[in-house]
Amino acid sequence: MREQIIAQIVKIFSLGGISTVLSFMFAPILLKFLIKNKVCKQIRQDSNAPIFTKIHEKKGGTPTMGGIIFWFITFFIAFSILILSFIFGGIWEFLNFVTREQTILILGSMMLAALVGIIDDVFNIYRIGPKGGGLPMSVRLILHTFIASIGAWWFYVKLDWDLLYVPFVGTIHLGFWYIPFFIFIIIGTAFALNETDGLDGLAGGISFMALIPYIAIAFLLGRFDLASLLAVVMGGVLAFLWFNINPAKFFMGDTGSMTLGVLFGILAMYTNTALFLPFFLFIPFMEAISVIVQTFSKKFLKRKIFPSTPIHHTFEANGWPETKVTMIFWLIQGMAMIFGLLIYLISVLKI
């Protein structure tokens, strides 16, 4: 048993290392491609968001869709090792982490989310859609509902799973309500990550930290293939973050934020940690809440609660440098993540 655990730790670290090296090699190639083909962010002029436009107009023309790094490298490593394991076996069979039980659904969901994100990014680049801002919110909502519905069907029908763990209470059966709850979680995390992706290094750093507890939980649950997959994703996110820290050489784009958002939603449901998401994704959770509150207030109270949303723009509007906002948000996210993991260990594993 001890030897098996050590072997799995070696596998996880090896795959994470391979992913990191390949991602750092791929990033400059991708950056050159994005610049050559003018795949650049368009900062739309929006009279409803004058503060955002004023603060970020200088970022117009920065390459976007940098999130391709972590999902492309993840798919490349996953399917390359899978093919090699079929042909040669041996070490490749040991390193293979593509399994029906643990990772196929997650990889498929990431692929669909990445494609939706690419379409949205392309629409933004060519100023297609409402105010030149990409796909309409209603269309994105429909597409994400479709992706979430596939996952909900798989869990509820194929796996006969309808359980939700409530910290310090226990596991409860949701029955058919598990399906709308599943869809809500996926759409919520996708929306939250998308809103967080607004400052150099913010969404990348938050996502890197949020992967840590999920790797730990997957390992503790004995889902070593899942932990291996997340280590591969983490290597890609690290390389992306290296090039995205202020001043960003490229942005994540919706193809990155949507992929990560859907990934975290699926992870929450697969590990039965949906109610821990406010800790593991504390900053995205607060960003999403700020947007919802602002929208509600403007619609029904006819006034703004915040100068600008998501909430990180409010701090910018108050004169905080972008790097300061990002670093403080990183610190808050790190503390919330550690606190959430401690609650998990105490309540679930009785440590």
Side-chain angles (χ1 to χ4, degrees):
M1 181 65 177
R2 181 171 176 270
E3 290 75 12
Q4 181 187 6
I5 292 177
I6 293 175
Q8 293 299 330
I9 292 175
V10 171
K11 174 182 176 179
I12 292 168
F13 273 90
S14 297
L15 288 167
I18 292 170
S19 174
T20 301
V21 171
L22 290 179
S23 297
F24 271 98
M25 292 172 61
F26 176 64
I29 298 173
L30 176 63
L31 178 58
K32 185 179 294 186
F33 172 84
L34 296 175
I35 294 174
K36 181 180 179 180
N37 292 277
K38 299 181 180 179
V39 182
C40 300
K41 178 71 173 179
Q42 303 290 343
I43 304 299
R44 64 185 184 274
Q45 301 295 317
D46 191 347
S47 59
N48 292 320
I51 296 177
F52 168 81
T53 300
K54 180 179 179 181
I55 295 175
H56 289 265
E57 59 184 355
K58 63 182 181 295
K59 293 189 176 187
T62 303
T64 188
M65 296 176 68
I68 289 175
I69 291 176
F70 44 80
W71 63 253
F72 175 80
I73 292 298
T74 297
F75 297 149
F76 176 77
I77 292 176
F79 295 111
S80 294
I81 293 179
L82 177 63
I83 293 171
L84 290 171
S85 69
F86 280 128
I87 298 174
F88 300 108
I91 184 65
W92 300 111
E93 187 173 359
F94 169 70
L95 289 174
N96 177 42
F97 57 87
V98 180
T99 58
R100 181 177 180 273
E101 296 80 11
Q102 296 187 33
T103 57
I104 284 291
L105 175 65
I106 295 175
L107 285 167
S109 299
M110 288 176 64
M111 186 175 294
L112 288 173
L115 291 174
V116 172
I118 285 178
I119 295 172
D120 199 22
D121 283 329
V122 170
F123 274 42
N124 178 273
I125 291 166
Y126 292 101
R127 296 184 180 277
I128 302 172
K131 301 178 182 178
L135 291 174
M137 179 59 72
S138 59
V139 174
R140 281 192 284 176
L141 182 62
I142 292 171
L143 292 173
H144 278 104
T145 301
F146 172 73
I147 296 172
S149 298
I150 295 175
W153 171 82
W154 185 274
F155 273 72
Y156 186 71
V157 177
K158 297 289 288 185
L159 303 181
D160 193 27
W161 184 268
D162 68 341
L163 301 178
L164 173 67
Y165 178 76
V166 180
F168 301 108
V169 174
T171 302
I172 61 175
H173 289 270
L174 295 181
F176 180 78
W177 289 104
Y178 185 82
I179 293 178
F181 181 73
F182 190 108
I183 294 172
F184 170 76
I185 291 296
I186 303 302
I187 293 176
T189 53
F191 172 75
L193 255 296
N194 189 252
E195 294 298 333
T196 306
D197 183 29
L199 300 181
D200 294 353
L202 182 58
I206 297 300
S207 299
F208 184 84
M209 284 186 276
L211 284 166
I212 295 173
Y214 277 112
I215 291 176
I217 290 170
F219 190 86
L220 291 171
L221 294 176
R223 298 172 184 175
F224 303 123
D225 290 327
L226 175 60
S228 297
L229 167 61
L230 298 183
V232 171
V233 175
M234 178 178 277
V237 172
L238 177 61
F240 164 79
L241 185 59
W242 183 274
F243 289 86
N244 183 242
I245 289 176
N246 187 275
K249 289 183 170 60
F250 52 41
F251 299 142
M252 183 181 293
D254 286 346
T255 190
S257 62
M258 289 185 181
T259 300
L260 289 174
V262 169
L263 169 64
F264 284 120
I266 294 286
L267 285 175
M269 303 309 293
Y270 186 64
T271 58
N272 204 2
T273 56
L275 297 186
F276 290 90
L277 276 174
F279 298 108
F280 297 157
L281 290 177
F282 180 78
I283 291 299
F285 179 77
M286 297 307 296
E287 299 271 28
I289 291 295
S290 70
V291 173
I292 293 170
V293 169
Q294 184 86 319
T295 301
F296 179 87
S297 180
K298 288 167 65 176
K299 184 175 180 61
F300 295 102
L301 303 180
K302 307 303 180 184
R303 65 184 182 89
K304 290 183 176 182
I305 299 295
F306 307 102
S308 183
T309 55
I311 193 67
H312 57 254
H313 292 319
T314 287
F315 290 97
E316 285 188 291
N318 289 331
W320 286 30
E322 180 177 351
T323 50
K324 180 179 179 179
V325 178
T326 298
M327 291 301 295
I328 289 180
F329 276 33
W330 279 3
L331 289 173
I332 295 172
Q333 171 65 31
M335 290 187 290
M337 178 205 72
I338 293 172
F339 184 67
L341 187 56
L342 287 174
I343 292 178
Y344 177 87
L345 294 175
I346 295 171
S347 65
V348 177
L349 301 182
K350 312 298 181 185
I351 292 178

